[in-house]
């Protein structure tokens, strides 16, 4: 068609394809393929049309006009000339529904479902309704037709008219070929030999026969004008050749007007990079021989991680400068320095420049704090197992020790002579000499009972008086319920010295006397509120002061002057007022497990030893936290003790040492106690990983006793 | 109880720091550009005091920059240049792709470039600041100047580095400011004192580099870019401080070559000139001809609070320095072919020796007083020792004495190699031969003393134990009476013991933190002593081995 051809000519001229399409024998196939399916090239809705590519629109325009739904009717003759032969040539397939009669249906390419509910199916050219053919076949009829009609398989319903169409043989053939993916045209040969119109080789003849333009051999006037302008400009010196760029940097006095105050804000936080370390003797090419690595050192150096090495090179010796090779890691080291400079986070670190001697606190010299025990004077031998506990008579003449060999021994202090051995038939956990000088009585913890023993040592009058005092007891008329049983010793026991037996329900682990010598307290290893009991000797009466258990009680202590009672549990020391019967204070020891406790004779200071090798000094007036925590020992503390008169305290530990400290308490409340360690006493041999088990001061002399796991008691003076 | 809810990490140190990625995003730069910028501007990460606070509670490893630093980068004009350069590269690539060669040429002509002058001024507000930071710059320039002219970096950079390095060497010669030289296995270390600031740099030995593959040359090139700018300005200023012409000119040629060179901006344009300059054998032209040969003697102003002794010390020091500067006065050196020329020329020129190239038997020169053929180490050692060392030790065929590092100043308790002791004695003006023996003897004595002391300690402990044992024995055999022995008690030792015990007791009373510190310090000290002892022992073993060998050889000779 003319329209089609003209459109093709106006399409962009580009290359051989166009020429080929004009000249190749398959020229008609392209328009055929595109024009034969107006419904195909027509998108369903006209709006979609604009979304398509322009070439498609151009190529399909002639048909679009023909079948367009718009109300501009096309002359039937033209439409016929355009379509009829084509339809005939290509045949109407089920995919290409339009056939000559339905050209009359002017509804266009719309979904025919829209006419589903109408009796008509569209409008003809005159605008009259086209009615649907009457269909009154039911399923049975359909089936019968299918069975009877031999052409049923080639009968297709035309959607546009609703009429049944029988496909011709050619049309069926076309369908078959398309299904196989073959070309619709039987005569089209897809394998034509290719004709190369433009080759890569330079040809002697031009491709076209067109004569050359005149302008191709006449000099251009415009160009001439331009050149003459340039020439003029050059002549006049307006245009100069481009200067070669000067790359060499220029330097000047940058710091001509330097202002030392112009320091940027960020310079406050500026951390200048540390300088490279200067080389030592070992880096020399000819170092002194001692700096060269020996074989083992070299091996060790090689096995170390590069980051761990102290030197990043192996010192080497060369005979002369000429023999020195290049250092292979030179560039590496410079590069690492660069990385350090820009990647390494910097931090200002204060270098500690302290003389270590200044760190040592200035303490008064021990020499000036004398007297204190300095040397081992006596060793008390006799026990066969570890000596757990010690106690001394108030006069300072007799010493009593209890041991795991089930005996209690009484010693004369000055001679180290064992005056008496008392077998008690059980491990002795604690002994306590009555602090009252007029009474000669020792309390001994053996398993479940506390024995009150009169050692019958010293002044006869004195111990006789003690016996009398004990015998003068008159039992009260009405029996009172007691947590323990007071039993008078049998004759056999009496002859040994045992006077009274206080039988507890469970094992007793500590006993301690009140300062007056009438009351004593015992600690039972129990978990109930019955752990601590206070006994009165003269009345043979016991009571349980606590209603509730506050933890495992380690030891108890009476205040030397005031009616206070100290109870040490694992981590706390509770101070009770016995008169008011209330809790006064709770001391936090900062220790994991308190082992022992001692009170200053003044009554305002307490020391606590603990199994985590700490010693806590409490100033009761100051705080409930320790005034000082001393970590002098290397192992667990077993016992601590205060001296009665001298400002001394001692601690014995599992590491086998006794440390004697000067602990001065001033009367002036503003002055804090002065604690100075004055002597480390060694002597006990380590046995079973235990060293010193108990320490004790002499009541009058600056002497200290210690009992150890090596079954000895030692006196240091 | 009103007010806004206080949120965590919105105040305090958390707001002072910024992570690297956030900084990069804030600056809208790619990582390589950010790196370049950081290198040029001297921005480095900071380690916050409390990492967890800054890191929003996490302990992950992150690098933090100061927020102030990053804000300071925001206004940097170079950042724009970076972007322009990126565009330029894009355009160039496009032009190449399209084979538009004229466009390529035009683009290349208009390649964006930037200057680092303002950054140098910013980073080093005063000249002294710049001098303090010159070590790395010099080392880098000397390294780059030895690179081959192919491959690794731009030829211009290498040439510039070489030029700046040579200029600096010439300055050091002219100002006589070299102080120390050290031949190490890594290279040669130099230390000069420029305007009172010690400047140390290292140069590699002149061998071809075995270029490593795991080194990022771009980073090094960026550093060099900055360092060359810095060194150029520093050189300019230094030359002017000595009244020298800054693009340096050789003295004798200055007048002759001035005219032909007038058209040129810079005398160094010709390679030959650089070669001449780098020969380091000619003195430089001055702006103002020096009128007096000698420098004006400085008036002395007594500084307040300075004692006469200090004054004397200072005077002596200055005298020594003057002497040092005229160390090789009147000597003439001939360098053999096998000797590394540049370092030696540099040093000899610096100490006013006269330098000739070639063989010693040059007929036209007047023969020197004594012909010495010492190896180069003699020169270096003499410069370090600040006196002409006896040449006898250095004669060919003799085993060279060890070359010691002049950078080591031994503190008390450090190990001092015997050679150093000898040198110190010589510097004090003592006869080296006697002192050496004495020192050796002293050393031996000292060693013995140490041993004795140790033994004594052991003995004392043993004695105590013995005493205890005896006492116990006495206890057990209380009935026996044995004749008492008179025990002599060393009062001094007792006192020492007492003191040490006192110290131990006092250490027990130290606070936990102080005790930790004390222990750390003492550990360090002990380690130092141990190392010194180890070195001394090694030396002793070596010496005895050498002696024995000598004896053997003597015996062999006798036989």
């Amino acid at each position: 068609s003319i329209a089609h051809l003209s459109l093709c000519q106006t399409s962009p001229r580009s290359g051989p394809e166009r020429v080929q399409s004009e000249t190749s024998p398959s020229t008609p196939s392209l328009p055929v393929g595109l024009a034969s399916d107006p419904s195909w090239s027509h998108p369903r809705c006209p709006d979609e049309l604009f979304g398509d590519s322009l070439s498609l629109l151009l190529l399909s325009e002639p048909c679009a006009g023909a079948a367009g739904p718009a109300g501009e009717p096309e002359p039937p003759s033209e439409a016929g000339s355009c379509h009829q032969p084509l339809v005939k040539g290509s045949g109407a397939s089920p995919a290409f529904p339009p056939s000559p009669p339905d050209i009359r249906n002017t509804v266009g390419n719309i979904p025919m479902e829209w006419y589903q509910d109408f009796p008509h199916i569209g409008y003809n050219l005159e605008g009259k309704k086209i009615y649907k053919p009457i269909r009154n076949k039911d399923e049975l009829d359909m089936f019968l037709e299918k069975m009877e009609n031999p052409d049923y398989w080639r009968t297709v319903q035309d959607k546009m008219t609703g009429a049944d169409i029988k496909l011709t043989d050619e049309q069926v053939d076309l369908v078959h070929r398309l299904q196989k993916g073959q070309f619709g045209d039987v005569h089209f040969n897809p394998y034509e030999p290719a004709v190369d119109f433009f080759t890569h080789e330079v040809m002697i003849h031009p491709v076209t026969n067109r004569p050359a333009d005149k302008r191709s051999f006449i000099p251009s006037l415009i160009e001439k004008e331009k050149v003459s302008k340039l020439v003029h400009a050059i002549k006049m010196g307006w245009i100069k050749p481009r200067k070669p760029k000067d790359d060499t940097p220029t330097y000047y006095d940058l710091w001509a007007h330097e202002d030392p105050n112009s320091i940027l804000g960020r310079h406050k936080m500026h951390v200048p990079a540390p300088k490279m370390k200067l080389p030592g003797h070992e880096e020399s090419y000819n170092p002194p021989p001692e700096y060269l690595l020996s074989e083992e050192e070299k091996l060790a150096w090689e096995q170390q991680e590069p980051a761990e090495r102290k030197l990043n090179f192996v010192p080497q010796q060369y005979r002369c400068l000429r023999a020195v090779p290049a250092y292979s890691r030179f560039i590496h080291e410079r590069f690492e320095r660069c990385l350090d400079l820009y990647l390494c986070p910097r931090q200002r670190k204060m270098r500690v420049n302290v003389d270590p001697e200044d760190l040592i606190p200035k303490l008064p010299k021990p020499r000036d704090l004398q007297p204190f025990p300095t040397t081992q004077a006596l060793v008390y031998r006799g026990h066969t197992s570890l000596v757990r506990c010690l106690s001394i008579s108030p006069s300072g003449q007799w010493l009593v020790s209890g041991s795991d060999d089930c005996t209690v021994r009484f010693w004369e202090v000055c001679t180290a002579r064992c005056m008496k051995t008392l077998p008690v038939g059980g491990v002795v956990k604690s002994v306590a000499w009555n602090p009252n000088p007029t009474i000669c009585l020792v309390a001994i913890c053996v398993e479940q009972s506390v024995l009150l023993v009169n050692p019958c040592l010293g002044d006869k009058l004195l111990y006789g008086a003690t016996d009398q005092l004990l015998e003068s007891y008159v039992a009260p008329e009405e029996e009172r319920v007691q947590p323990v049983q007071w039993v008078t010793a049998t004759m056999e026991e009496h002859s040994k010295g045992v006077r009274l037996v206080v039988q507890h329900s469970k094992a007793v682990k500590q006993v301690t006397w009140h300062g007056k010598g009438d009351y004593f307290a015992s600690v039972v290893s129990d978990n109930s509120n019955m752990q601590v009991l206070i006994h009165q000797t003269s009345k043979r009466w016991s009571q349980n002061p606590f209603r509730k258990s506050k933890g495992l009680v380690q030891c108890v202590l009476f205040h030397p002057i005031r009616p206070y009672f100290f109870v040490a549990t694992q981590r706390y020391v509770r101070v009770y007022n016995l008169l008011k019967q209330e809790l006064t204070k709770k001391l936090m020891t900062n220790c994991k497990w308190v082992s022992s406790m001692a009170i200053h004779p003044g009554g305002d200071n307490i020391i606590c030893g603990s199994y985590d090798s700490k010693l806590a000094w409490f100033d009761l007036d100051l705080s409930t936290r320790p005034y000082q925590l001393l970590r002098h020992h290397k192992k667990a503390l077993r016992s601590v003790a205060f001296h009665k008169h001298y400002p001394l305290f001692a601690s014995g530990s599992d590491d086998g040492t006794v440390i004697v400290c000067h602990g001065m308490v001033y009367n002036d409340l503003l002055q804090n106690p002065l604690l100075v360690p004055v002597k480390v006493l060694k002597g006990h041999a380590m046995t079973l990983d235990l060293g010193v088990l108990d320490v004790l001061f002499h009541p009058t002399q600056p002497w200290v006793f210690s009992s150890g796991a090596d079954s000895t008691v030692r006196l240091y003076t | 109880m009103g007010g806004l809810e206080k949120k965590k990490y919105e105040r305090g140190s958390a707001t002072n720091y910024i992570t690297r990625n956030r900084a990069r995003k804030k600056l809208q730069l790619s990582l390589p550009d950010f790196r370049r910028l950081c290198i040029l501007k001297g921005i480095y990460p900071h380690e916050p005091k409390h990492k967890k606070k800054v890191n929003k509670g996490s302990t992950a490893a992150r690098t933090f920059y100061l927020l102030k630093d990053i804000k300071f980068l925001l206004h940097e004009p170079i950042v724009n240049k970076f972007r322009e350069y990126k565009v330029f590269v894009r355009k160039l690539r496009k032009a190449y792709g399209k084979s538009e060669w004229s466009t390529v040429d035009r683009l290349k002509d208009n390649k964006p470039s930037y200057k680092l002058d303002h950054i140098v001024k910013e980073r080093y507000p005063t000249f002294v600041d710049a001098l303090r930071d010159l070590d790395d710059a010099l080392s880098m320039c000397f390294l780059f100047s030895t690179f081959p002219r192919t491959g690794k970096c731009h030829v211009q950079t290498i040439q510039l580095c070489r030029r700046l390095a040579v200029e600096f060497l010439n300055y050091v010669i002219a100002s006589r400011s070299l102080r120390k030289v050290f031949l190490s296995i890594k290279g040669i270390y130099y230390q000069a004192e420029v305007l009172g600031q010690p400047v140390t740099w290292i140069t590699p030995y002149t061998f071809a580099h075995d270029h490593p593959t795991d080194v990022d040359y771009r980073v090094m090139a960026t550093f060099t870019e900055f360092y060359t700018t810095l060194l150029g300005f520093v050189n300019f200023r230094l030359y002017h401080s000595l009244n020298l012409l800054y693009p340096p000119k050789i003295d004798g040629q200055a007048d002759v070559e001035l005219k032909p060179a007038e058209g040129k901006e810079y005398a160094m344009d010709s390679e030959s000139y650089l070669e001449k300059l780098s020969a380091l054998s000619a003195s430089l032209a001055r702006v103002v001809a020096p009128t007096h040969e000698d420098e004006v003697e400085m008036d002395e102003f007594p500084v307040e609070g300075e004692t006469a002794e200090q004054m004397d010390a200072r005077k002596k020091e200055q005298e020594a320095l003057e002497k040092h500067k005229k160390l090789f006065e009147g000597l003439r050196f001939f360098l053999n072919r096998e000797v590394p020329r540049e370092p030696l020329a540099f040093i000899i020129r610096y100490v006013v020796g006269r330098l000739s190239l070639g063989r010693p038997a040059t007929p036209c020169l007047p023969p020197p007083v004594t012909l010495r053929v010492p190896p180069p180490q003699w020169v270096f050692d003499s410069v370090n020792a600040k006196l002409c060392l006896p040449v006898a030790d250095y004669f060919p065929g003799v085993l060279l004495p060890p070359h010691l590092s002049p950078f080591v100043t031994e503190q008390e308790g450090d190990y001092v190699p015997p050679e150093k002791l000898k040198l110190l004695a010589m510097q004090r003006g003592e006869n080296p031969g006697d002192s050496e023996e004495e020192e050796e003897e002293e050393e031996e004595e000292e060693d013995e003393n140490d041993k004795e002391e140790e033994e004594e300690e052991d003995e004392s402990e043993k004695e105590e134990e013995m005493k205890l044992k005896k006492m116990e024995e006495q206890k057990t055999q209380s009935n026996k009476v044995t004749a008492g022995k008179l025990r002599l008690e060393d009062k001094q030792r007792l006192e020492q013991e007492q003191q040490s015990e006192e110290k131990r007791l006092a250490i027990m009373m130290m606070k936990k933190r102080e005790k930790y510190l004390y222990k750390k310090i003492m550990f360090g000290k002990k380690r130092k002593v141990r190392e010194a002892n180890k070195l001394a022992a090694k030396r002793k073993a070596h010496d005895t081995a050498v002696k024995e060998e000598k004896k053997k050889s003597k015996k062999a000779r006798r036989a």
Side-chain angles (χ1 to χ4, degrees), chain A residues 390-502:
Chain A
L390 287 175
S391 188
I392 194 161
S393 70
S395 62
Q397 200 181 355
W398 313 107
L399 180 73
V400 59
S401 64
S403 161
D404 271 14
D405 58 3
C406 308
T407 58
V408 174
R409 278 171 190 263
F410 294 89
W411 314 83
E412 193 178 14
V413 167
C414 299
T415 57
R417 189 168 166 193
C418 180
M419 303 301 292
K420 212 173 177 184
T421 308
L422 179 68
V424 289
V427 171
V428 182
K429 286 282 174 65
S430 169
V431 291
W433 204 298
N434 194 322
N436 191 342
T438 58
I439 300 173
C440 185
L441 203 61
V442 180
I444 301 167
C445 290
V446 181
E447 290 175 349
Q448 297 199 350
S449 52
V450 175
L451 310 179
L452 293 180
V453 175
N454 187 349
C456 302
L457 291 171
D459 197 348
K460 208 169 185 179
L461 284 176
L462 205 70
Y463 64 75
T466 309
D467 277 347
Q468 278 178 5
L469 192 74
L470 288 175
E471 279 158 14
S472 66
Y473 167 72
V474 184
E477 287 174 6
E478 47 178 305
E479 278 277 321
R480 278 194 289 185
V481 181
Q482 291 195 24
V484 296
Q485 270 189 313
W486 289 76
V487 180
T488 324
T490 57
M491 281 310 287
E492 192 189 342
E493 282 174 338
H494 196 277
S495 64
K496 283 187 205 165
V498 181
R499 297 292 180 262
L500 282 170
V501 180
V502 188

Side-chain angles (χ1 to χ4, degrees), chain A residues 255 271 284 286 290 322, chain B residues 44 124 237 338 403 415 538:
Chain A
W255 292 280
V271 186
S284 165
N286 182 14
E290 61 267 32
R322 213 171 25 185
Chain B
Y44 43 85
Y124 307 110
R237 174 96 178 194
E338 293 164 347
H403 180 60
Y415 172 73
K538 252 173 139 183

Side-chain angles (χ1 to χ4, degrees), chain B residues 244-277:
Chain B
L244 294 169
L245 288 171
Y246 175 59
K249 293 207 168 59
I250 292 165
D251 199 8
Q253 288 171 319
D255 300 332
V256 185
E257 287 193 6
L258 207 58
K259 274 176 189 170
E262 221 165 46
K264 291 177 184 174
E265 291 259 307
Y266 186 57
M268 300 275 287
D269 282 351
S270 55
E271 289 241 332
S272 66
Y273 200 85
L274 181 62
E275 286 297 315
K276 269 178 203 162
L277 200 66

Side-chain angles (χ1 to χ4, degrees), chain A residues 71-106:
Chain A
E72 62 173 290
E74 207 177 48
S77 61
E78 206 187 311
S81 67
C82 189
H83 284 280
Q84 224 117 11
L86 293 176
V87 169
K88 267 183 190 164
S90 61
S93 65
F96 308 144
S99 52
D102 65 77
I103 289 297
R104 270 73 180 167
N105 191 353
T106 55

